[in-house]
Amino acid sequence: MSPHAVALRAGLQRGRIEFRQTTTSPQDLWSVMFFPVIALVVMYMLRDNTVPGTGFSLGTQSIPGILGANVVFAGMMMLALSLTMDREDGTLLRAKATPNGMVGYLTGKVLSRAGTAVVGLLVPLVPAAFLFDGLRLGEASAWLTLTWVVALGLVAVLPIGAILGALFDTAQGAGFVGVPIMGLMSISGVFYPLSSFPEWLQWVAQAFPLYWMGLGLRSAMLPDAMAAAEIGDSWRHLETAAMLGVWALAGLVLAPIMLRRMARRESGSTVAARRHKAQQRTM
């Protein structure tokens, strides 16, 4: 086998191990499930409210967007935090010192984060199916749409997580990115139809993959009649695929550049400096 094939095989094994560790750790599982659990409780209390102009439950309408936002958090943000934490404790430096170690390391990280993101979608979906009426989960076409939207969405957001992990030296710094993402989530139609927002906010939201992920999941899980609450009275599948595809292409081009640049800067002295700074913060 070629060296790259060996590295990829090691990455697959690493991804499987890390995924198993995450799914068997109550603390890690709770970090993935915290947001959807709280959001499901809130939406359940709002289940009697209706989407403007329809008799459809606002709580049910929000479920796909909530699950889509959780995919973004569990995929993009967790990958960024994993990279920065591994830079702080020297794991990334050890991978760099191993022949083709970065290939195996990144393969494992991406696969484990993608698997965790899928778990973060499917596990809350089970209670949601019983708590909220109107979800279209009994049709094969719904699951087909859900599959391609999630797959393309992960390809779009995971490279962004890798870029963020390369930009920030510490997990604390990367964690601050969650603040603007929460703001973006509030205007992306997750909790309320985007068509009800001012036009300039609609354009801002449509520039980011979070909105398109939510729209795609709504098209998979909600009745076709609910497309009337969306911009253009349509699920816009072609636009969803195109926008997520553009983000995926841009991320796949930029992420390797940023990761190579990050790897070149890693050394024993930089790791030691980060540890010293971390010790000062805890004192």
Side-chain angles (χ1 to χ4, degrees):
M1 294 177 68
S2 67
H4 272 78
V6 173
L8 287 173
R9 185 175 179 180
L12 291 172
Q13 185 176 7
R14 181 191 184 104
R16 185 173 64 252
I17 293 171
E18 290 192 359
F19 176 71
R20 185 173 64 243
Q21 289 175 339
T22 299
T23 53
T24 55
S25 167
Q27 182 178 357
D28 289 344
L29 277 178
W30 178 241
S31 68
V32 175
M33 298 301 167
F34 175 78
F35 168 71
V37 168
I38 298 301
L40 287 178
V41 171
V42 173
M43 290 301 106
Y44 184 74
M45 292 189 295
L46 296 176
R47 66 190 183 281
D48 293 330
N49 293 11
T50 58
V51 178
T54 74
F56 197 79
S57 168
L58 179 62
T60 303
Q61 192 270 346
S62 300
I63 297 305
I66 290 169
L67 298 179
N70 200 48
V71 170
V72 173
F73 274 105
M76 182 181 73
M77 284 303 302
M78 291 300 183
L79 178 58
L81 290 171
S82 293
L83 286 174
T84 52
M85 287 189 293
D86 286 349
R87 291 175 72 185
E88 285 186 302
D89 65 14
T91 299
L92 197 61
L93 181 60
R94 291 191 293 273
K96 176 187 173 182
T98 305
N100 294 306
M102 286 296 294
V103 174
Y105 169 81
L106 291 172
T107 300
K109 281 295 178 186
V110 169
L111 290 177
S112 64
R113 288 294 98 197
T116 302
V118 172
V119 169
L121 167 71
L122 295 179
V123 173
L125 185 57
V126 174
F130 291 97
L131 293 174
F132 297 90
D133 296 328
L135 292 176
R136 189 169 61 97
L137 299 176
E139 302 176 20
S141 60
W143 287 98
L144 180 63
T145 301
L146 186 147
T147 299
W148 74 256
V149 168
V150 171
L152 186 55
L154 284 172
V155 177
V157 300
L158 284 171
I160 303 174
I163 292 170
L164 292 174
L167 286 174
F168 292 94
D169 289 334
T170 65
Q172 185 180 22
F176 285 123
V177 179
V179 177
I181 291 179
M182 291 295 292
L184 182 63
M185 186 172 64
S186 67
I187 65 167
S188 293
V190 172
F191 299 106
Y192 206 76
L194 185 62
S195 57
S196 301
F197 285 77
E199 186 174 354
W200 69 272
L201 272 181
Q202 295 179 21
W203 284 107
V204 171
Q206 291 178 86
F208 295 93
L210 177 57
Y211 165 74
W212 297 100
M213 175 85 78
L215 178 64
L217 291 180
R218 286 194 292 276
S219 74
M221 299 167 62
L222 299 181
D224 290 337
M226 287 306 300
E230 303 291 343
I231 296 174
D233 299 335
S234 169
W235 293 127
R236 299 193 291 169
H237 282 157
L238 289 178
E239 291 90 335
T240 298
M243 287 299 295
L244 291 178
V246 167
W247 274 94
L249 181 62
L252 291 172
V253 170
L254 291 175
I257 297 173
M258 297 298 297
L259 289 169
R260 283 195 295 268
R261 177 174 173 269
M262 174 194 68
R264 284 196 299 267
R265 298 201 312 266
E266 289 302 300
S267 65
S269 60
T270 57
V271 172
R274 289 193 197 101
R275 287 177 177 173
H276 179 67
K277 187 181 293 185
Q279 289 173 350
Q280 288 182 326
R281 287 199 302 265
T282 58
M283 291 178 63

